[in-house]
Amino acid sequence: MRAPTRTLTFAAVAGAAVFGYASVIERNWFALRRFEVPILPAGAEPVRVLHISDIHLTPGRHRLLSWIRSLDALAPDLVVNTGDSIAHRQSVLPLLEGLGPLLDRPGVFVYGSNDFYSPIPHNPLRYLWEASSVRHRTVPDLPWAELGAGLAAGGWMDANNARGRIKAGGLDIEVGGVHDSHIDRDRYHQIAGPTDAAADLRLGVMHSPEPEIMDQFAADGYDLLLAGHTHGGQVCLPGFGALVTNCGIEPERASGLHRHPLHGDPDRPWLHVSAGLGTSPWAPVRFSCRPEASLLTLVPRIG
Ligand SMILES: [Fe+2]
């Protein structure tokens, strides 16, 4: 075999091996991330918040559903789902069954664009250069209302452009949330206004971590912001991290626990971005970016 042919053959085999790993192994290699967030009043007991996002459920993902169901063993005090839960019209019931006992716990949810519009075929590499909003249509074809009714049936708060109060882990929590900005359904003005200093915690929830929305949450005094959407970059460079976020936030905060803004006032809100549990069925790969859920243990502030 001549050298150029050998090189091409090697590249093809290596590419197939990487794709196989990313689509079969890593995409089903679920991780639980744990973070401690010093955010509660002095003397408060720790409170566990389970953050799930971007499940993108399609039929047949039994391993994913059974892993989600197992998360109830963590005994979270609060569950927050930041959207993109489904990717198929027959996914609502399986999703609700997968969430199972988690739906009986206090919870909050917002929608993502993919809860409204079924995924359409595209070049998976388009994820690297094109914002998802341009691919969306105007007439929803997924059962988003059925999804919302199912999530709310056990008492989860629908936080899409809504503000309210919930009790979880002994805390009085003020919650504000926005709908997905990628389909122009976010209406921050409907929830705008200073938060209640008398609440034990002020929680802001959104699908896509857009800096201009998070600036408004921060200005209104929210303590903790939760978002998804980025998939953590989905295809990352080992040792470097995310290349893209598919939204306004920079790759450095594509996933994990940070502050918003990244630098500034020491009292600015904490921000947790989930890398999510799934992918679009038309880009079924994750590389150096395992699918994840996060358990945030809220503890008293330091000092
Ligand atoms: Fe997503």
Side-chain angles (χ1 to χ4, degrees), residues 37-61:
V37 193
I39 202 168
L40 297 182
E45 291 294 314
V47 170
R48 293 177 302 279
V49 179
L50 177 66
H51 183 189
I52 57 176
S53 197
D54 295 87
I55 298 169
H56 289 263
L57 189 65
T58 47
R61 297 217 63 199

Side-chain angles (χ1 to χ4, degrees), residues 52-138:
I52 57 176
S53 197
D54 295 87
I55 298 169
H56 289 263
L57 189 65
T58 47
R61 297 217 63 199
H62 306 297
R63 192 186 297 255
L64 169 59
L65 287 174
S66 88
W67 194 80
I68 291 171
R69 198 176 180 89
S70 74
L71 296 171
D72 189 65
L74 298 168
D77 299 297
L78 174 67
V79 184
V80 178
N81 176 5
T82 46
D84 274 7
S85 299
I86 57 173
H88 192 278
R89 344 175 156 208
Q90 266 135 38
S91 291
V92 173
L93 268 183
L95 176 79
L96 298 175
E97 284 169 13
L99 290 169
L102 290 170
L103 289 171
D104 296 328
R105 298 183 178 277
V108 176
F109 72 95
V110 289
Y111 295 118
S113 57
N114 288 281
D115 296 318
F116 284 69
Y117 301 103
S118 57
I120 53 176
H122 63 88
N123 178 348
L125 294 179
R126 266 168 63 174
Y127 181 85
L128 293 175
W129 69 78
E130 183 180 77
S132 59
S133 56
V134 299
R135 295 200 296 272
H136 291 129
R137 292 89 73 195
T138 52

